[in-house]
Amino acid sequence: MKILELKNISKSFGAIHALENVDLDISQGEALGLMGDNGAGKSTLMKIVAGNFSPTNGEIFVEGKKTSFSNPLDSRNHGIEIVYQDLKLCNNLTASANVFLGREINSGFGFFSRLKHTAMNDRAAELFGELKSETRPNDLVERMSGGQRQAVALARTRLSDPKLVLLDEPTAAISIRQVAGVLTRIKQLKETGHAVILVSHRMLDVFECCDRVAVLRRGNKIADKPIAKTSPEEVTGLITGALETA
Amino acid sequence: MFSYNRLLFLIDHLIWGILIVVFVFFIFQSEHFLTERNISNILAAAAVLGVLVAGQTFVLISGNFDLSTESTLGLAALVGVWLIVPAGTPTNGGGIFMNPYLSIILTLSMGALIGYAIGCLITVGNMHNFIVTLAALLIIRGLMLAFTEGAPVSGFNNPSADVFYWLGHEKAFKVPGFGNIFVAVLATGLIYFICHLILKHHKFGRELYAIGGNRDAAEALGINVNRRIRQVYMLSGILAALAGWMLAGRVVSIQPNLGETFIFTVFAGAVIGGVSLQGGRGTMLGALGGVLLLSTIDRGLNLMQVSVFWIKVIQGSIILVAMLIDAQRVRLQELSNIATSEKKL
């Protein structure tokens, strides 16, 4: 089943066309690598799916139903979780506070509600355990290594049971040793029936864990084919423009 | 053993140590310092300053500034009294003789409105908070001077005044050693307790820390940052008006310059209490320490009969020292973070 379908998505900022008539879809249990050079429109496309921008033109379908996202919460409520490239962590807060940011567990209602610190810390500890991270819920994020920070950002996506997880350059800011861990997590997500979109510059990562690769160049999707039917050389050519289309 | 964390902990709680040292110093300097009357006065002065610092703490944690609160305080005191003065009294009032409860509600609403307007200018008008609140500081003060033509307003000796002045003027009970405890002191204590609950145990507080820590992240995670900022300025406006209402009960007549230059003390109190100007850091307990320290120093210097000119010099130096401590805290924090995250790699 198609989890997410984008049809004819265009986005312009004044005279600049960041995206032009892009179609993209992804099914359950599938991992899609989204590649392209800087300025190709990857981030814009991500932000549209994340609910940060609304497209100038085009339609978004989630599980076959037409929807629109007016803010990041909308997108989350539709079962789409995003791990941003810069992780969007608050250094001054604890790991647990970061995981639950915007979705705190409360008792009571409205003004008379209260944060349930213990419940959140326990759940965060569980999530870090599942991610095989040594992060402790009460540690401050500013005291963490790159890998631990990433675990905090990834733990957020596990709060709900998302249909689609978007990862924006998840391996860009961490040590080589930790890359394997991230790729394992992507495979885990796939095996548990989630759809994954991996935005990456790293050919190796995409070819190791994705089923399909889509290439953007100057706001247009110029290729979308199964990993098995392409090669890193071809994809590189498509990204740089050495090859016009696939 | 040396550790950045231990040093940071010391800096964060330095305030209580300083408070004790300063307190003991003044006891030796003036025989009048450790009297019930003086302690009662320190607490009463701390109450008004404390309410302003509480509001400022919220604004600072969210990564913003509010310079305008001293003017809002003055305007609130002025308007509140102006409204309750009966017709025909030569006290420069409005002669409206308004029900004092209504006047209190109007005064606090005015504070909320001023705060909301400032919040809108910053978030919707996309202007810098420093400029907006500086302009508000001048405009509100100017309005006060223009409307009163520089003359004070007094509302004593009328039946409504008792109700209006109750908050700042009334003594709640007497505690041996502390003298008379004013209603204002209890009110401020209650405000600090509620503010503490909000910051520590409520979603609103958590979101303010997040916005002050990383605004971008807060936005991406679905927090309505602009709305929160408007709310925080509104809260600051309400608390400033409440401080004005409180102060009206402590002064005989409202001068149009009431509260002028108070904002420096407010910032000093917050910063000395460990609330960071960079946003995202600070607690109500720390802010309370800052407020008590400044009130103690102020009263102590008065009792020592230090000249007002020198008091200004000392106040300025205190602010400078507070900033110095804040800057060192940030630096230590960074060093400590590097030290711990390196270890974990």
Side-chain angles (χ1 to χ4, degrees):
Chain A
M1 188 180 49
K2 296 256 189 282
I3 298 283
L4 177 77
E5 266 186 287
L6 305 176
K7 285 187 180 161
N8 271 322
I9 296 286
S10 300
K11 176 76 185 173
S12 34
F13 301 96
I16 296 160
H17 300 289
L19 290 173
E20 283 177 296
N21 302 324
V22 173
D23 292 325
L24 199 73
D25 63 75
I26 184 155
S27 309
Q28 212 174 349
E30 191 187 21
L32 170 73
L34 184 62
M35 306 198 72
D37 214 342
N38 291 340
K42 290 177 307 206
S43 315
T44 310
L45 194 61
M46 288 283 290
K47 282 181 176 158
I48 286 172
V49 177
N52 297 99
F53 295 156
S54 32
T56 317
N57 273 310
E59 293 170 313
I60 302 173
F61 297 87
V62 175
E63 294 186 308
K65 267 183 284 182
K66 187 170 187 271
T67 38
S68 63
F69 306 138
S70 54
N71 61 54
L73 273 184
D74 267 359
S75 164
R76 265 186 175 182
N77 291 338
H78 279 93
I80 299 171
E81 289 285 342
I82 293 120
V83 181
Y84 295 91
Q85 183 172 4
D86 62 1
L87 304 180
K88 304 285 183 205
L89 297 174
C90 293
N91 283 333
N92 56 334
L93 296 179
T94 63
S96 161
N98 266 289
V99 170
F100 283 93
L101 197 56
R103 294 188 271 199
E104 290 83 358
I105 303 177
N106 289 291
S107 57
F109 292 98
F111 184 77
F112 295 101
S113 65
R114 197 184 153 90
L115 296 173
K116 290 170 94 172
H117 298 289
T118 327
M120 288 192 277
N121 284 348
D122 291 351
R123 181 80 185 106
E126 262 175 52
L127 292 171
F128 295 139
E130 285 170 26
L131 292 168
K132 301 197 172 47
S133 166
E134 285 166 19
T135 310
R136 284 167 305 184
N138 267 322
D139 284 353
L140 283 175
V141 165
E142 62 195 356
R143 308 255 163 119
M144 291 182 180
S145 65
Q148 284 182 309
R149 293 168 64 87
Q150 184 128 38
V152 175
L154 279 172
R156 278 179 183 155
T157 67
R158 299 191 152 215
L159 275 186
S160 57
D161 189 25
K163 297 171 196 136
L164 169 65
V165 180
L166 277 166
L167 298 145
D168 191 1
E169 300 281 4
T171 51
I174 56 175
S175 66
I176 303 280
R177 207 145 50 93
Q178 288 158 340
V179 170
V182 173
L183 297 183
T184 313
R185 278 167 210 155
I186 294 174
K187 288 176 195 159
Q188 279 171 2
L189 281 170
K190 230 166 59 172
E191 280 156 19
T192 47
H194 300 85
V196 181
I197 297 181
L198 172 64
V199 177
S200 183
H201 266 102
R202 286 169 52 99
M203 205 62 71
L204 274 175
D205 298 353
V206 171
F207 274 80
E208 186 176 335
C209 60
C210 292
D211 307 303
R212 199 151 56 89
V213 60
V215 179
L216 290 178
R217 192 167 73 227
R218 293 195 196 155
N220 293 291
K221 190 173 86 170
I222 51 165
D224 190 342
K225 57 200 297 190
I227 286 284
K229 292 190 179 165
T230 185
S231 62
E233 292 74 23
E234 187 188 20
V235 174
T236 309
L238 289 164
I239 292 171
T240 57
L243 293 170
E244 272 306 320
T245 48
Chain B
M1 198 191 77
F2 170 81
S3 103
Y4 290 122
N5 287 345
R6 218 165 288 176
L7 208 54
L8 273 170
F9 179 85
L10 273 180
I11 288 186
D12 280 341
H13 297 83
L14 188 64
I15 182 82
W16 302 104
I18 297 176
L19 186 59
I20 292 168
V21 170
V22 166
F23 210 83
V24 172
F25 171 78
F26 283 130
I27 291 175
F28 283 108
Q29 289 299 317
S30 165
E31 51 182 321
H32 301 295
F33 189 78
L34 201 62
T35 56
E36 287 194 347
R37 197 183 133 86
N38 188 50
I39 301 299
S40 167
N41 274 333
I42 290 179
L43 289 178
V48 176
L49 177 64
V51 175
L52 282 185
V53 170
Q56 198 66 246
T57 300
F58 272 69
V59 180
L60 285 172
I61 285 175
S62 78
N64 287 278
F65 284 99
D66 191 352
L67 302 174
S68 71
T69 52
E70 62 160 52
S71 293
T72 308
L73 163 137
L75 186 66
L78 183 86
V79 169
V81 173
W82 191 77
L83 288 172
I84 58 167
V85 173
T89 41
T91 48
N92 222 345
I96 297 173
F97 201 29
M98 183 181 277
N99 177 311
Y101 295 104
L102 192 60
S103 131
I104 290 166
I105 292 171
L106 276 180
T107 305
L108 296 183
S109 311
M110 186 187 70
L113 201 69
I114 291 174
Y116 188 72
I118 290 173
C120 284
L121 286 170
I122 292 168
T123 56
V124 183
N126 207 13
M127 289 152 84
H128 197 281
N129 53 33
F130 184 85
I131 298 301
V132 173
T133 57
L134 182 66
L137 171 91
L138 294 171
I139 292 170
I140 297 166
R141 180 64 62 191
L143 286 175
M144 278 180 78
L145 288 162
F147 281 135
T148 57
E149 292 176 336
V153 174
S154 164
F156 270 112
N157 304 321
N158 86 66
S160 297
D162 290 344
V163 177
F164 189 82
Y165 288 142
W166 173 80
L167 179 67
H169 200 246
E170 192 68 22
K171 299 173 180 93
F173 46 76
K174 205 168 152 59
V175 180
F178 287 87
N180 288 306
I181 300 298
F182 285 89
V183 172
V185 175
L186 297 180
T188 305
L190 184 67
I191 288 170
Y192 269 67
F193 181 64
I194 294 172
C195 287
H196 168 78
L197 288 184
I198 295 174
L199 284 182
K200 266 263 144 43
H201 301 293
H202 199 276
K203 196 174 157 64
F204 182 75
R206 176 64 60 83
E207 291 186 358
L208 293 189
Y209 281 107
I211 294 168
N214 185 348
R215 189 190 160 121
D216 225 30
E219 223 150 40
L221 291 166
I223 295 171
N224 193 335
V225 172
N226 284 340
R227 186 156 166 239
R228 289 283 171 267
I229 288 176
R230 286 193 291 274
Q231 285 168 338
V232 107
Y233 274 101
M234 208 160 117
L235 184 73
S236 171
I238 294 172
L239 287 175
L242 189 120
W245 168 28
M246 203 180 255
L247 190 56
R250 275 171 47 81
V251 293
V252 181
S253 66
I254 314 294
Q255 304 288 336
N257 66 351
L258 183 74
E260 216 163 38
T261 71
F262 207 20
I263 197 68
F264 297 112
T265 319
V266 173
F267 271 93
V271 173
I272 292 173
V275 183
S276 171
L277 294 178
Q278 333 278 335
R281 265 170 242 278
T283 61
M284 288 317 290
L285 189 67
L288 183 67
V291 168
L292 288 175
L293 179 65
L294 289 184
S295 310
T296 304
I297 290 176
D298 195 54
R299 277 306 296 168
L301 293 177
N302 263 311
L303 284 180
M304 282 171 67
Q305 294 178 330
V306 176
S307 112
V308 275
F309 310 126
W310 282 107
I311 287 184
K312 278 236 185 291
V313 175
I314 293 168
Q315 280 174 341
S317 312
I318 290 171
I319 294 173
L320 216 53
V321 170
M323 296 295 159
L324 190 72
I325 293 174
D326 189 46
Q328 300 320 304
R329 185 196 290 128
V330 171
R331 206 168 59 108
L332 272 173
Q333 191 87 51
E334 277 161 10
L335 283 173
S336 147
N337 294 343
I338 293 169
T340 25
S341 62
E342 284 291 321
K343 232 184 294 166
K344 279 172 188 159
L345 248 167

